[in-house]
Amino acid sequence: MSFGIVAMMLTGVIDTYWVGTLGTAQQAAVQMSFPVTMLVMSVAIGLGAGAVSVVSRAAGEKDDSVIKRTATDALSLSILAVGAVSILGILFIEPIFRTLGASETMMPHVLDYMSVWFAGIVLIVGPMVASNILRALGNAVLPSMMMIGAAVVNMVLDPFFILDEFMGLPGLGWGVSGAALATVAANAVTFILISLYLVFREKLIDFSWNGFDDLFHNWGEIARVGAPAAASNTFNPFALTVVMSGLGMAQFGDAAVAGVGVGARLEAFAIVPLFALSASIGPVTGQNGGAGITSRVREAFAKSFLFCIIWSLSLGAVIFLTQQWLAPAFLPSDMGQDVARTYWSFVTLTIGGYGITMAASAGFNGLGRPSFGVMITSSRAVMMAVFAVTGGMVMDAPIGVILGIALANILSGVGTAGYVLFRAPMEARKRRMRKAPEPVSAASES
């Protein structure tokens, strides 16, 4: 799992590098788009969490009858939901980013990038939901291989789609829209391959029609966990959107937006194992909680929290020591480089707190208790947005925004760990069963 996420994060870094060669406005446009794309992707993450929770609990309860139907209905629900988001997104790109404070130099590049991204979002989301279903059944290898394959294709296409020329070979020169198109094309290949695997190898896709009652029941079960999980996952990108907006970094110019965006992208390498941990802990807590082994659930939480702290401090120190070479490689302006270095000096070293909230939220989703995850992630997001905006206002400089993010990481991590380890319930909620139809009496038949 970690290798797959490393590959996907590396894709984001490679995108960032090539876009940086185009200029500060182009880099700022893509970085301002990033939290908005993450907001949309939260729908897919929530649907995937819902499918993981239902399927993993069914596996823990040895209920094989629900797995095949749930997998099919999870995919159909994700395609319909994200298709609607795609249409709305294309229609409202400019009003959204005008409201966020995108500058006039930034806006044309935002439109180029987001138009392609919204048009192809179904091809990006489909593999995510399918991979979550396979992980819930214990198959983590294939999803990782698919993620790595998509990342490799994306990285190969990037320079040829973005630049006019690469290594003496002609490129398409599509700029920021080329970066988005490379991502869509790579994920389209993955979607085709994983769909074939689900249909012909695993036989998890059920093409039979059992009526709307069965469909709506499964959608309801997925949504019962998926909707709160999606909401939970929107909090952090929403807070990051505020950080990047006119209330935060955008008031200090394109270079400040580009700097904090690049800082966050490279920081993603420091939290790759934390993303993998949050993707893996749900099945562990779900199956052990479903089996009533609460001691293992609490142990899983404790060990994951300790890992978050150790890993973030270690890699945060590495990035801090190498920042003088990293910043000029991705940012053409001096101000952008200064903002990125400041971000790495404070936020990356405290990212373990964010990792704790991610692991806790995902673990509670696996237990069928998504409201706990919503409480944890929303608390951090509110702190992040309020502290960042307040810091920017008080200090009237990008460092105020950055210190606000770091403080939110520390407080949310400490508070979450204390609550989960000493107060929160560790039992899994039982899956709701569909009511059996009323038997038809002989008298009514006559």
Side-chain angles (χ1 to χ4, degrees):
M1 180 64 187
S2 292
F3 291 110
I5 297 180
V6 166
M8 295 304 294
M9 293 299 179
L10 182 59
T11 299
V13 172
I14 297 299
D15 278 351
T16 300
Y17 174 78
W18 292 119
V19 170
T21 65
L22 301 175
T24 298
Q26 289 89 335
Q27 185 72 279
V30 172
Q31 301 312 320
M32 179 169 270
S33 300
F34 178 66
V36 176
T37 63
M38 292 306 298
L39 271 171
V40 177
M41 294 295 282
S42 298
V43 176
I45 294 171
L47 291 170
V52 164
S53 180
V54 173
V55 172
S56 64
R57 281 183 285 151
E61 297 167 8
K62 309 301 181 185
D63 188 356
D64 295 332
S65 62
V66 75
I67 295 175
K68 187 174 182 180
R69 189 71 252 170
T70 302
T72 304
D73 293 342
L75 286 172
S76 64
L77 179 60
S78 66
I79 291 172
L80 290 174
V82 175
V85 172
S86 173
I87 294 171
L88 292 173
I90 292 172
L91 293 175
F92 294 103
I93 295 173
E94 186 165 359
I96 290 171
F97 283 91
R98 291 284 184 195
T99 303
L100 292 177
S103 67
E104 292 299 326
T105 55
M106 214 189 292
M107 185 57 69
H109 307 298
V110 169
L111 291 171
D112 288 344
Y113 185 85
M114 292 303 298
S115 296
V116 175
W117 191 88
F118 272 124
I121 188 175
V122 171
L123 299 174
I124 298 173
V125 166
M128 291 177 59
V129 177
S131 295
N132 279 329
I133 292 170
L134 289 175
R135 276 194 290 269
L137 296 174
N139 185 351
V141 175
L142 182 67
S144 295
M145 292 175 61
M146 290 293 182
M147 292 170 70
I148 293 171
V152 170
V153 173
N154 196 337
M155 287 185 282
V156 170
L157 293 179
D158 261 343
F160 294 103
F161 280 22
I162 296 172
L163 307 178
D164 294 317
E165 181 182 352
F166 176 66
M167 296 181 65
L169 299 174
L172 297 173
W174 289 338
V176 294
S177 60
L181 187 58
T183 299
V184 172
N187 280 276
V189 174
T190 304
F191 196 15
I192 293 171
L193 293 176
I194 202 167
S195 297
L196 293 174
Y197 183 86
L198 290 175
V199 172
F200 296 109
R201 179 64 182 272
E202 292 292 328
K203 301 189 185 322
L204 279 174
I205 305 302
D206 186 355
F207 292 104
S208 64
W209 174 248
N210 296 332
F212 284 108
D213 287 345
D214 196 46
L215 178 69
F216 291 154
H217 171 77
N218 286 333
W219 280 4
E221 277 293 285
I222 295 165
R224 188 172 68 86
V225 172
S232 175
N233 279 283
T234 63
F235 291 124
N236 183 65
F238 179 78
L240 186 56
T241 301
V242 174
V243 168
M244 301 290 274
S245 72
L247 295 174
M249 281 296 176
Q251 65 182 308
F252 302 116
D254 290 2
V257 173
V260 77
V262 168
R265 290 281 187 140
L266 269 70
E267 174 192 78
F269 270 111
I271 59 174
V272 161
L274 309 189
F275 282 118
L277 182 66
S278 66
S280 303
I281 193 174
V284 174
T285 57
Q287 292 191 26
N288 284 286
I293 312 174
T294 58
S295 60
R296 289 186 182 176
V297 177
R298 197 176 299 277
E299 182 183 3
F301 277 126
K303 289 183 176 179
S304 66
F305 295 167
L306 180 60
F307 179 80
C308 289
I309 296 171
I310 294 173
W311 187 266
S312 66
L313 289 176
S314 300
L315 288 205
V318 171
I319 292 179
F320 176 78
L321 294 173
T322 58
Q323 60 181 285
Q324 59 179 318
W325 300 287
L326 290 174
F330 293 87
L331 293 156
S333 70
D334 291 337
M335 180 181 177
Q337 294 173 26
D338 290 340
V339 170
R341 292 189 187 101
T342 304
Y343 183 94
W344 290 324
S345 298
F346 293 100
V347 177
T348 302
L349 290 173
T350 64
I351 206 67
Y354 176 36
I356 289 173
T357 64
M358 285 194 299
S361 178
F364 282 122
N365 288 337
L367 290 172
R369 299 179 179 274
S371 60
F372 288 83
V374 172
M375 177 187 67
I376 289 168
T377 53
S378 62
S379 298
R380 177 188 177 271
V382 170
M383 284 191 285
M384 178 176 167
V386 172
F387 293 170
V389 171
T390 303
M393 292 174 58
V394 171
M395 302 188 72
D396 195 25
I399 190 173
V401 178
I402 291 169
L403 290 176
I405 300 172
L407 181 60
N409 284 339
I410 295 170
L411 295 180
S412 61
V414 172
T416 297
Y419 174 75
V420 172
L421 296 179
F422 300 107
R423 294 290 301 275
M426 296 289 108
E427 301 85 4
R429 291 185 60 181
K430 295 297 182 182
R431 189 171 52 81
R432 294 186 301 180
M433 304 303 295
R434 181 186 171 192
K435 292 183 179 180
E438 294 291 335
V440 180
S441 66
S444 64
E445 287 182 348
S446 61

